[in-house]
Amino acid sequence: MVEQILYAALTIAVGVGFAFVYFWGSNWLLDRALSTQGLDGPASARRDTLRTRIRPWLFLFPALFFLTVYLVYPVFETIRLTFYDGGGRNFVGAANWIWALNSPAFVQSLINNALWLIFVPTAATAFGLLVAVLADRLWWGNIAKSLVFMPMAISFVGASVIWKFIYDYRGTGEQIGLLNAIVVAFGGEPQAWITVPFWNNFFLMVILVWIQTGFAMVILSAALRGIPEETIEAARIDGASDVRIFFDIMIPQILPTILVVWTTITIVVLKIFDIVLAMTGGQWNTQVLANLMYDQMFRANHFGRGSLVALVIMIAVLPVMIWNIRQARSEEGTH
Amino acid sequence: MATITQSSPVTAEPKAGILSNIKVTPGKAMAHLALLLLVLIWTVPTFGLLISSVRDRDQLAVSGWWTSLTTVQRSFAGVLGTPADQVQEDDQFVIRGNVLGDDSNQVLVGFGTSINNPAEFPAGSSVEMRTGGTITVSEDGSYVWTSPTAFAHNRVRLFYTSQVPPRFTLDNYVEVITAAGIGRAFVNSFTVTVPATIIPILIAAFAAYALAWMRFPGRTLLVALMVGLLVVPLQMSLIPLLRLYNGIATTFGGSAKSYLGIWLAHTAFGLPLAIYLLRNYMAGLPREIMESARMDGASHFQIFVTMVLPLSFPALASFAIFQFLWVWNDLLVAIVFLGQSQNELVLTGQLRALLGSRGDNWEILTAGAFISIVVPLVVFFSLQRYFVRGLLAGSVKGG
């Protein structure tokens, strides 16, 4: 264990040291190799231009290297592997696609992911907006916001333990799960919530809503503060009610931000994995794409099918990616 | 989106609420109530976990954590002394003992000889036993069992009902840290997280500076690429990288699953966000400073190290917090790039393993979960300003 800690400390030192030596050294070398000392006008200018051309790439090289090896190359490799067999050696054409379309687990995952996509971003954004609006009006709003924000720091696995405890079910005796205790207190029948067909998906989704609401709240709260006071004052003078002001004045002004929050949570939802793995492992019809991919990759050891499921997730993310890039480029213009 | 120009941390001074000068008292009361309800829903689950983790394991298994402060009446069965314990006093054979155990803080209310009626007789009364003799059980659980003839029974159980006062203990934590492997996993989590947080920062900062302040062909394309890579699902990378690591391991020897492998993977996966956040921040630094420094003959390298890097501290801190929380809380990358042995399992992985193997031992799960969330919570609450600033810069500006 001590060795392990030393190893980690050494890696930090070597990693940071190496990065620094690289950046400093490469810049020094560039200045040395293309030195303008003792050169006359045109030659000197040529070297200046050359240095200006090369230097950005020295700054960018390590980052681009990592991104290429770990993110860009894998995208193409994954696409290639979707046409290969389990070991990734033999070309099988569309066999993996045929498997997917005939696999109940895959179809189930698509349906469940769609449910997650509809429910989680909507609920988290709505709750986040509600908390932001309420908290801005009350003196203890900031404490409330901090507390609602807290689950953001908790891991999906940790949150799964927390909620599995809430959903705990005892066949006999006193219920120690909060949800069943409440149900029993109101005269209902206790349930094994995470096995209830169809609705169990929503019990898992609640966990992600619980985590993501804080995120939505923070962003939307900032947006609400950015609304010009005058527009609200004007509406008030015209005799608009609180509710009307909220829906007709505030919502339209923060609509772009709502959209950003919504799409950001959408991305999280598409990749959701930990909660399903920890809560049900995909049993009782709660399978989702990311967990199916993990199953194919590690349990079934079928790289072709695993790659295919990953690619499906990627395709689902694509519209948001394109929208983001266009958004960023239009902002680039305003800089 | 252009409406948000400044980042306001959650803990900032509250601006006089937008709607606050409307005098609707019932509405205000409703707002208080609604927010209180929401805050309760968002905090009670974690609170219940914390309370449960310090409860006595036997109490935790049979009663809800919300009853943990109340004394409850509960029925148990205890085994009475065997003939080996008997002593002869005058002409009587006597067995003495305590059904509650030696250092119990329970109070016995009643007892009985049948499981169906564990409170048949009140504490202090004397009862004839079916196996012979007379037993007297008092409130503290001590009993005197006398018989004119020698005892010769095998195993006799006594059923009793007692008041159980609340009992809190740190035993669960001790067990989880030692026996359940959470202690080791805690060290492993740190081993993974700290280098994976620090190493990307310098790499990203240089790249971000180039993208923010240097003019070169392909720059806009690279910026667009970073924005695109921000949302590429990790799932796309896992299988190719696993194959790559396996290939390297078989070619050069060594293991495909190592700390070095996961550090590099986390470094790469953190880079798009790091570069994106830092570039946005650096692009916002005043142009005049840069230009006057250039006039004075400072090189890009000098400007970066002496001016931009120190000025970018808030953005560096934001990213460091993000990356720390993300790596600490990650499960997927850890189970793919690290092995499943005790020396390599991180907290999330160990917790997941416990969910499978000890799914009903809530004293283990609650204590383990709390240990895994305490570090992020401390980081989060102490550095919330930087975290919020990063969130706003990361998702509001560019989407």
Side-chain angles (χ1 to χ4, degrees):
Chain A
M1 206 156 78
V2 178
E3 292 154 42
Q4 181 183 324
I5 295 167
L6 286 176
Y7 180 36
L10 189 74
T11 309
I12 298 174
V14 170
V16 173
F18 191 77
F20 198 82
V21 167
Y22 162 78
F23 285 119
W24 183 81
S26 64
N27 274 279
W28 182 80
L29 271 180
L30 181 69
D31 288 336
R32 259 317 264 282
L34 294 175
S35 166
T36 48
Q37 252 176 353
L39 287 174
D40 56 343
S44 163
R46 213 178 319 118
R47 288 203 157 185
D48 276 340
T49 327
L50 204 55
R51 262 186 302 148
T52 322
R53 284 247 177 96
I54 295 175
R55 200 182 314 271
W57 300 103
L58 292 183
F59 275 49
L60 283 164
F61 173 74
L64 291 182
F65 172 78
F66 271 108
L67 291 174
T68 308
V69 174
Y70 281 83
L71 286 166
V72 179
Y73 148 77
V75 167
F76 296 103
E77 176 71 359
T78 296
I79 294 173
R80 189 184 71 88
L81 282 173
T82 56
F83 299 106
Y84 282 74
D85 65 355
R89 269 179 221 94
N90 307 309
F91 185 80
V92 292
N96 293 324
W97 289 95
I98 293 163
W99 161 81
L101 296 176
N102 291 310
S103 154
F106 181 78
V107 176
Q108 182 76 52
S109 303
L110 283 183
I111 296 170
N112 287 343
N113 263 86
L115 283 179
W116 280 75
L117 267 184
I118 295 165
F119 182 74
V120 176
T122 314
T125 311
F127 277 120
L129 188 57
L130 186 62
V131 175
V133 169
L134 289 175
D136 268 346
R137 308 177 60 184
L138 305 175
W139 59 268
W140 53 288
N142 281 324
I143 303 166
K145 282 204 258 177
S146 261
L147 291 173
V148 172
F149 197 33
M150 180 193 66
M152 275 290 285
I154 297 176
S155 65
F156 288 165
V157 185
S160 297
V161 173
I162 291 174
W163 282 87
K164 207 167 189 182
F165 189 45
I166 295 216
Y167 297 147
D168 185 73
Y169 166 72
R170 303 271 146 142
T172 55
E174 199 179 321
Q175 299 294 333
I176 67 167
L178 186 59
L179 187 58
N180 272 323
I182 293 172
V183 166
V184 169
F186 282 99
E189 273 292 305
Q191 302 274 343
W193 300 106
I194 58 170
T195 63
V196 178
F198 183 70
W199 296 108
N200 52 4
N201 283 301
F202 290 88
F203 291 113
L204 304 194
M205 291 177 212
V206 163
I207 303 172
L208 192 59
V209 173
W210 183 73
I211 293 174
Q212 291 292 323
T213 294
F215 164 75
M217 175 202 74
V218 166
I219 310 282
L220 294 171
S221 179
L224 286 173
R225 278 155 199 253
I227 296 179
E229 199 86 2
E230 307 86 66
T231 57
I232 291 163
E233 282 303 321
R236 191 165 295 143
I237 290 164
D238 291 346
S241 68
D242 263 11
V243 177
R244 288 241 11 219
I245 290 177
F246 177 71
F247 282 107
D248 292 354
I249 310 289
M250 288 156 83
I251 294 273
Q253 295 206 48
I254 59 167
L255 204 58
T257 313
I258 291 179
L259 209 56
V260 169
V261 169
W262 205 87
T263 49
T264 309
I265 301 177
T266 302
I267 299 288
V268 178
V269 170
L270 281 170
K271 295 189 276 192
I272 191 65
F273 160 72
D274 318 34
I275 292 176
V276 175
L277 181 73
M279 294 292 283
T280 63
Q283 293 178 81
W284 305 295
N285 290 334
T286 56
Q287 189 67 287
V288 291
L289 288 171
N291 193 54
L292 180 67
M293 190 252 169
Y294 173 78
D295 275 354
Q296 287 302 327
M297 178 171 73
F298 266 140
R299 303 226 172 98
N301 263 314
H302 200 297
F303 283 172
R305 292 174 184 172
S307 296
L308 181 130
V309 180
L311 184 60
V312 171
I313 300 175
M314 177 77 194
I315 292 169
V317 168
L318 223 46
V320 178
M321 185 195 271
I322 293 165
W323 187 72
N324 277 356
I325 292 174
R326 292 180 60 167
Q327 207 68 19
R329 297 201 99 165
S330 70
E331 255 187 40
E332 200 70 5
T334 63
H335 255 300
Chain B
M1 266 171 295
T3 55
I4 301 152
T5 45
Q6 89 226 28
S7 49
S8 22
V10 184
T11 45
E13 201 59 27
K15 190 167 112 184
I18 288 169
L19 304 170
S20 64
N21 40 0
I22 297 181
K23 297 177 200 68
V24 238
T25 327
K28 198 91 178 180
M30 279 291 288
H32 277 287
L33 262 178
L35 190 59
L36 188 67
L37 185 70
L38 286 166
V39 168
L40 279 178
I41 296 173
W42 259 262
T43 48
V44 162
T46 318
F47 184 71
L49 179 90
L50 174 61
I51 297 291
S52 298
S53 71
V54 292
R55 290 186 74 202
D56 180 77
R57 56 179 294 171
D58 297 327
Q59 295 188 6
L60 175 59
V62 292
S63 65
W65 56 267
W66 52 93
T67 66
S68 62
L69 282 177
T70 54
T71 296
V72 286
Q73 195 155 308
R74 187 149 286 129
S75 299
F76 303 93
V79 179
L80 294 174
T82 59
D85 301 326
Q86 65 185 321
V87 288
Q88 199 172 0
E89 291 176 5
D90 302 331
D91 53 348
Q92 296 268 8
F93 291 89
V94 182
I95 298 177
R96 287 193 172 80
N98 191 322
V99 285
L100 297 178
D102 283 336
D103 53 322
S104 168
N105 50 0
Q106 300 180 16
V107 177
L108 189 131
V109 240
F111 63 98
T113 51
S114 140
I115 194 165
N116 298 320
N117 203 347
E120 198 175 354
F121 315 105
S125 46
S126 301
V127 174
E128 297 263 332
M129 295 294 283
R130 257 173 298 169
T131 50
T134 310
I135 194 163
T136 309
V137 189
S138 46
E139 263 193 3
D140 61 1
S142 64
Y143 62 87
V144 184
W145 189 6
T146 57
S147 167
T149 55
F151 288 101
H153 56 269
N154 268 331
R155 185 169 174 276
V156 176
R157 289 200 297 169
L158 186 78
F159 302 93
Y160 62 93
T161 302
S162 62
Q163 302 271 6
V164 187
R167 199 170 107 79
F168 295 101
T169 167
L170 290 175
D171 290 353
N172 303 333
Y173 282 95
V174 174
E175 186 184 350
V176 146
I177 289 170
T178 55
I182 289 284
R184 181 62 208 253
F186 191 83
V187 176
N188 296 344
S189 269
F190 260 110
T191 307
V192 170
T193 309
V194 177
T197 304
I198 293 174
I199 294 173
I201 292 180
L202 204 57
I203 297 176
F206 271 96
Y209 177 82
L211 292 176
W213 288 105
M214 290 173 168
R215 307 267 149 210
F216 58 92
R219 191 179 72 132
T220 31
L221 202 69
L222 279 179
V223 174
L225 178 75
M226 295 302 158
V227 175
L229 288 179
L230 269 179
V231 294
V232 168
L234 280 189
Q235 278 81 6
M236 287 299 276
S237 292
L238 299 180
I239 290 175
L241 288 179
L242 204 60
R243 283 164 59 95
L244 187 70
Y245 277 19
N246 283 334
I248 291 171
T250 41
T251 316
F252 297 101
S255 168
K257 308 211 166 191
S258 67
Y259 280 111
L260 186 63
I262 196 171
W263 286 327
L264 295 178
H266 272 306
T267 297
F269 297 150
L271 278 178
L273 180 70
I275 295 173
Y276 178 72
L277 276 181
L278 292 173
R279 193 199 83 94
N280 276 356
Y281 191 88
M282 287 175 185
L285 292 174
R287 175 174 293 274
E288 300 77 45
I289 305 183
M290 309 286 169
E291 276 170 1
S292 64
R294 297 285 295 156
M295 293 298 201
D296 294 345
S299 70
H300 272 300
F301 186 75
Q302 285 165 331
I303 294 176
F304 174 76
V305 174
T306 57
M307 294 166 59
V308 174
L309 210 52
L311 281 174
S312 304
F313 177 77
L316 298 176
S318 290
F319 168 71
I321 296 164
F322 270 121
Q323 179 78 350
F324 183 91
L325 291 179
W326 149 247
V327 176
W328 183 274
N329 288 338
D330 160 78
L331 173 70
L332 183 58
V333 178
I335 51 181
V336 174
F337 292 111
L338 279 180
Q340 303 292 311
S341 75
Q342 278 295 324
N343 299 338
E344 291 178 300
L345 267 181
V346 294
L347 274 171
T348 47
Q350 182 70 35
L351 205 54
R352 180 197 146 234
L354 288 176
L355 262 176
S357 64
R358 312 280 294 265
D360 269 331
N361 295 52
W362 282 111
E363 76 281 358
I364 299 284
L365 291 171
T366 53
F370 194 74
I371 290 174
S372 85
I373 66 179
V374 73
V375 172
L377 283 185
V378 168
V379 168
F380 175 78
F381 276 116
S382 54
L383 301 167
Q384 197 170 352
R385 291 178 37 169
Y386 291 111
F387 186 70
V388 169
R389 198 177 291 169
L391 269 190
L392 292 172
S395 61
V396 178
K397 272 199 85 181

